[in-house]
Amino acid sequence: MQIVKTADAILASGAPRKTRSMLIVLVALAVVSSLAAEKAYGYFADRYEVSWVRPALAEHAAIVRAQGRLRGKESRLREKTDVRI
């Protein structure tokens, strides 16, 4: 009766080669899925940023327009009364 060690049995069956190729496939899959997740995160982050920037820009434009109207009224008042506000 011959005693076979476990390490010798694994080497003889060719399992390490199969395990190594499976590991390479799993690492490649992890890298690809990580890149896809990063792209998706960037896309949705950009969409969120744009969605709140547009109303902020509209609000800013409204404030600037309102200030311009006020300045216009101040200059007209100054012309009429010769008093600075």
Side-chain angles (χ1 to χ4, degrees):
M1 186 163 146
Q2 184 181 359
I3 298 175
V4 178
K5 293 183 180 176
T6 309
D8 294 335
I10 290 174
L11 288 176
S13 68
R17 187 176 310 148
K18 197 174 191 179
T19 305
R20 186 174 297 170
S21 64
M22 183 59 77
L23 181 62
I24 291 170
V25 168
L26 286 175
V27 169
L29 185 63
V31 169
V32 168
S33 64
S34 175
L35 289 174
E38 187 70 27
K39 281 285 211 183
Y41 175 77
Y43 173 75
F44 287 113
D46 287 346
R47 283 193 60 178
Y48 173 75
E49 184 177 332
V50 169
S51 71
W52 71 265
V53 167
R54 289 182 192 265
L57 286 176
E59 182 181 357
H60 174 70
I63 291 170
V64 169
R65 281 194 304 270
Q67 287 178 343
R69 288 183 192 136
L70 289 175
R71 287 188 187 134
K73 287 180 183 178
E74 288 173 3
S75 64
R76 279 186 248 129
L77 184 61
R78 206 176 304 131
E79 290 172 2
K80 289 180 182 177
T81 60
D82 200 28
V83 177
R84 294 191 102 169
I85 297 176

